[in-house]
């Protein structure tokens, strides 16, 4: 039997989750089809976690306008969704006359884009802000910041789910057919759906979904960036993101603090055609460390705790020139289909403005009735490690599981893990618990706690060991029982 919806969203990344959340403000049956076992398994969770100011994008572009809008509302959004966000500021550091000319152009472009809090600062002020940085001057963007991209995407999705949206994980779209009554039949690897509207938020798969809709001709290339994560002991040396002077198409290898105290080094940029390979070669690690050390000489091999990579979906023209975001409804080809193409950086910052653009275009074509029961607020997990000593004592008194520390590096308790296992989205992969609690994200990267987390998932949900996934569909970590 086909499941029927008013709106089906293809893709559960930050934009798809934001669209789902904004559409639940209206009386609609909403479904989200995500091919992975969780939200933000691809581009949305594999980036620097920077909330951009909006000065780096062409004046008049959607990237510029929606980024500025997203940046300016982020304090309110983060408070509403209970996600960690810090408006740290950001530096673009230079040393040469050519660097200064480029920064002056960037600052002028930023002002034209409506970016607030931009200033050119000298060496003295630069080293007051970040003493360890190497450079003679900088463009300071006081309104830029950092956010946890995992928890932000999860918060958007959970808020959407709590307001009535249905998430279908492991449902990869394989075909889309427009019916004579102007509805769509969507075939997935796990079932068939019927919908009045369809929204393409497929990220790296946006070109394939667009083709299925009959909207052809978009060329999507992958830009792969590799990263190094440094131990938390380096965090105090970097109070804000530090970038080199950017080129026209690439922001350069930079260093970024995280909201949890680590430092991220990267990315580099390499065009790729394989959108599923996330390996990081040693030569990339060496290049990142060498390049970033010229800007911030605090990078030491002993502080590496992990590496990762992400791939951005860039829409390019026939000459390979990167294009703006595309948010469209092609009434002549695919009526009642919203097509989002090339949503790369600053998609994290601009996710909610992008979602409101989708809603606006939909409202021009159909009657949207407000949902009076919509609840914009969402409460995240009360992480034990972040509480005061008094609150910790009270929590342990209320629930002894708070006294059982599962992850020593990040002080994650059994109670934290159990709350994450029973999350509103029903996600039960190891990384699903990792991104919700920060277990397995410390210095030992799960060496102590991963097997205990796995055991708790198995016990709580009755999942056989051989069916437990690390992150993706093919990432089974056991072939059978491994404990005596």
């Amino acid at each position: 039997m086909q499941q029927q919806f008013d709106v089906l969203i293809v893709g559960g990344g930050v934009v798809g989750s934001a669209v789902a959340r904004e559409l639940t403000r209206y009386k609609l049956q909403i479904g989200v089809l995500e091919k992975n076992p969780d939200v933000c398994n691809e581009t949305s969770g594999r980036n620097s976690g920077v909330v951009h100011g909006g000065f780096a994008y062409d004046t008049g572009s959607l990237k510029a306008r929606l980024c500025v809008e997203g940046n300016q509302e982020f304090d309110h959004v983060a408070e509403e969704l209970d996600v960690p966000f810090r408006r740290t500021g950001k530096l673009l550091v230079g040393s040469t006359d050519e660097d200064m000319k480029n920064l002056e152009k960037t600052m002028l472009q930023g002002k034209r884009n409506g970016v607030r809090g931009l200033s050119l600062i000298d060496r003295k002020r630069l080293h007051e802000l970040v003493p360890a940085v190497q450079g003679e001057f900088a463009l300071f963007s006081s309104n830029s910041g950092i956010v946890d991209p995992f928890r932000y995407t999860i918060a958007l999705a959970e808020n959407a789910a709590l307001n009535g949206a249905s998430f279908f994980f492991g449902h990869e779209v394989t075909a889309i057919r427009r019916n004579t009554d102007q509805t769509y039949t969507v075939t997935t690897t796990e079932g068939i759906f019927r919908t009045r509207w369809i929204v393409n938020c497929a990220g790296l798969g946006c070109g394939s979904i667009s083709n299925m809709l009959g909207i052809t001709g978009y060329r999507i290339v992958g830009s792969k960036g590799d990263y190094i994560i440094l131990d938390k002991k380096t965090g105090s040396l970097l109070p804000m993101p530090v970038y080199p002077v950017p080129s026209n198409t690439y922001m350069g290898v930079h260093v970024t603090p995280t909201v949890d105290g680590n430092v991220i080094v990267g990315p580099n940029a390499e065009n790729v055609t394989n959108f599923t390979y996330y390996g990081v070669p040693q030569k990339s690690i060496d290049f990142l460390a060498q390049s970033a050390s010229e800007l911030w000489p605090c990078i030491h091999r002993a502080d590496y705790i992990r590496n990762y990579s992400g791939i951005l979906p860039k829409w390019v023209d026939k000459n390979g020139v990167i294009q703006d975001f595309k948010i469209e409804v092609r009434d002549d080809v695919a009526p009642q289909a919203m097509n989002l193409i090339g949503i790369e950086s600053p998609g994290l910052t601009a996710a909610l403005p992008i979602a409101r653009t989708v809603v606006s275009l939909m409202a021009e074509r159909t009657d949207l009735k407000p949902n009076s029961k919509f609840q914009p607020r969402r409460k995240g997990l009360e992480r034990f490690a972040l509480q005061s000593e008094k609150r910790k004592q009270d929590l342990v008194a209320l629930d002894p599981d708070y006294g059982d520390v599962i992850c020593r590096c990040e002080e994650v308790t059994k109670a934290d893990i159990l709350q994450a296992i029973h999350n509103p989205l029903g996600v039960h992969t190891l990384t699903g618990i990792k991104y919700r609690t920060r277990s397995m994200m410390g210095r030992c990267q799960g060496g102590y706690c991963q097997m205990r987390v796995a055991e708790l998932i198995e016990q709580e949900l009755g999942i056989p060991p051989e069916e437990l996934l690390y992150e993706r569909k093919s990432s089974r970590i056991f072939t059978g029982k491994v404990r005596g």
Side-chain angles (χ1 to χ4, degrees):
M1 180 177 176
Q2 295 181 2
Q3 298 196 57
Q4 299 194 24
F5 290 88
D6 295 312
V7 184
L8 277 179
I9 299 161
V10 182
V14 68
V15 173
S17 297
V19 170
R21 190 245 190 178
E22 291 306 294
L23 284 173
T24 57
R25 294 179 184 271
Y26 304 91
K27 293 180 179 179
L28 298 166
Q29 289 294 111
I30 299 161
V32 181
L33 304 175
E34 168 54 50
K35 68 180 181 181
N36 291 301
D38 195 0
V39 297
C40 64
N41 271 180
E42 295 185 353
T43 305
S44 298
R46 293 173 169 272
N47 53 69
S48 301
V50 174
V51 174
H52 293 291
F55 53 78
Y57 314 106
D58 292 341
T59 301
S61 66
L62 279 177
K63 287 181 180 179
R65 178 170 65 81
L66 300 179
C67 181
V68 171
E69 184 180 331
N71 176 286
Q72 292 177 357
E73 71 179 355
F74 223 96
D75 297 274
H76 170 70
V77 169
E79 188 272 333
E80 203 170 52
L81 294 174
D82 193 22
V83 293
F85 165 63
R86 288 168 48 202
R87 203 172 283 278
T88 56
K90 179 168 75 174
L91 292 169
L92 273 63
V93 179
S95 298
T96 67
D97 291 342
E98 186 65 25
D99 286 344
M100 177 57 79
K101 290 178 183 177
N102 286 332
L103 289 182
E104 288 172 344
K105 290 178 183 177
T106 301
M107 183 170 176
L108 178 60
Q109 178 171 266
K111 289 184 174 180
R112 288 173 176 166
N113 291 352
V115 179
R116 303 169 186 169
L118 295 178
S119 59
L120 287 169
I121 61 174
D122 61 15
R123 178 183 173 86
K124 180 175 182 296
R125 178 61 177 151
L126 170 61
H127 289 91
E128 287 174 351
L129 291 172
V130 184
V133 76
Q134 299 291 303
E136 298 300 318
F137 47 80
L139 173 63
F140 178 45
S141 170
S142 63
N143 279 338
S144 298
I146 54 175
V147 69
D148 184 319
F150 303 110
R151 278 179 277 177
Y152 180 47
T153 306
I154 288 165
L156 288 166
E158 288 187 352
N159 188 234
L162 293 170
N163 279 297
S166 299
F167 282 73
F168 299 90
F169 296 109
H171 285 63
E172 183 172 2
V173 174
T174 57
I176 300 172
R177 185 183 77 246
R178 183 155 65 97
N179 304 310
T180 55
D181 61 356
Q182 304 305 307
T183 62
Y184 289 90
T185 297
V186 181
T187 303
T188 77
T189 50
E190 296 296 327
I192 298 175
F193 298 77
R194 195 179 184 93
T195 182
R196 291 196 300 117
W197 277 87
I198 188 165
V199 186
N200 177 10
C201 296
L204 289 165
C206 68
S208 296
I209 300 300
S210 184
N211 288 337
M212 291 182 198
L213 289 168
I215 307 173
T216 59
Y218 288 112
R219 181 186 171 200
I220 307 299
V221 300
S223 179
K224 181 175 180 283
D226 301 324
Y227 299 83
I228 307 168
I229 303 177
L230 302 183
D231 188 272
K232 282 186 175 182
K233 68 181 182 180
T234 62
S236 61
L237 302 173
L238 189 71
M240 68 183 68
V242 175
Y243 286 59
V245 177
S247 68
N248 289 330
T249 59
Y250 171 49
M251 293 298 292
V253 176
H254 45 272
V255 286
T256 306
T258 73
V259 292
D260 293 293
N262 298 95
V263 170
I264 297 172
V265 180
N268 52 359
E270 176 190 5
N271 286 343
V272 295
T273 55
N274 185 341
F275 294 173
T276 62
Y277 176 70
Y278 292 104
V280 180
Q282 184 63 49
K283 65 179 182 180
S284 287
I285 295 174
D286 296 340
F287 170 77
L288 292 173
Q290 179 181 352
S291 298
S293 292
E294 296 173 4
L295 191 65
W296 185 70
C298 303
I299 300 168
H300 306 289
R301 188 178 294 271
D303 295 325
Y304 299 2
I305 64 171
R306 195 176 182 88
N307 57 65
Y308 68 99
S309 67
I311 305 173
L312 295 174
K314 293 182 180 286
W315 168 33
V316 298
D317 66 12
K318 62 182 181 181
N319 297 314
V321 177
I322 298 168
Q323 302 297 294
D324 193 12
F325 291 163
K326 172 67 76 171
I327 306 173
E328 64 178 355
V329 181
R330 291 283 299 278
D331 295 309
D332 58 331
V333 177
Q336 297 183 183
M338 199 73 59
N339 202 34
L340 280 65
I341 297 293
I343 309 296
E344 49 144 342
S345 183
L348 184 70
T349 307
L352 280 172
I354 290 170
R356 290 193 292 268
T357 302
V358 168
V359 173
S360 178
L361 287 171
M362 190 177 293
E364 293 174 4
R365 293 164 172 82
T366 192
D367 184 27
L368 297 180
K369 293 180 171 60
N371 174 15
S372 61
K373 296 181 180 180
F374 176 77
Q375 173 53 259
R377 306 190 73 83
R378 168 262 186 189
K379 180 64 178 173
L381 299 180
E382 185 177 17
R383 288 179 57 205
F384 183 81
L386 302 181
Q387 308 308 311
S388 66
E389 288 304 314
K390 174 65 168 61
R391 178 60 178 159
K392 288 179 178 179
Q393 292 173 13
D394 291 343
L395 287 171
V396 172
L398 287 169
D399 183 352
D401 285 341
Y402 277 110
D404 184 358
V405 177
I406 301 295
C407 172
R408 293 176 178 177
C409 298
E410 295 290 322
E411 199 179 355
V412 181
T413 70
K414 181 178 179 180
D416 293 326
I417 301 294
L418 292 178
Q419 289 178 63
I421 288 172
H422 297 288
N423 65 83
L425 297 179
V427 171
H428 51 262
T429 62
L430 278 172
T431 56
I433 307 309
K434 171 182 177 179
Y435 298 146
R436 287 162 174 79
T437 64
R438 282 194 61 81
S439 57
M440 302 175 278
M441 294 183 84
R443 178 75 197 191
C444 82
Q445 288 290 293
Y448 173 76
C449 66
Q450 182 169 304
M451 290 301 98
R452 293 197 66 192
V453 173
E455 184 178 23
L456 285 172
I457 295 173
E458 293 167 18
Q459 290 174 350
E460 287 294 306
L461 302 179
I463 297 175
E466 61 271 16
E467 293 183 13
L468 183 62
L469 299 179
Y470 181 75
E471 181 176 30
R472 303 184 195 289
K473 185 177 180 180
S474 59
S475 62
R476 300 186 189 279
I477 57 175
F478 302 123
T479 57
K481 189 174 179 60
V482 295
R483 303 178 188 91

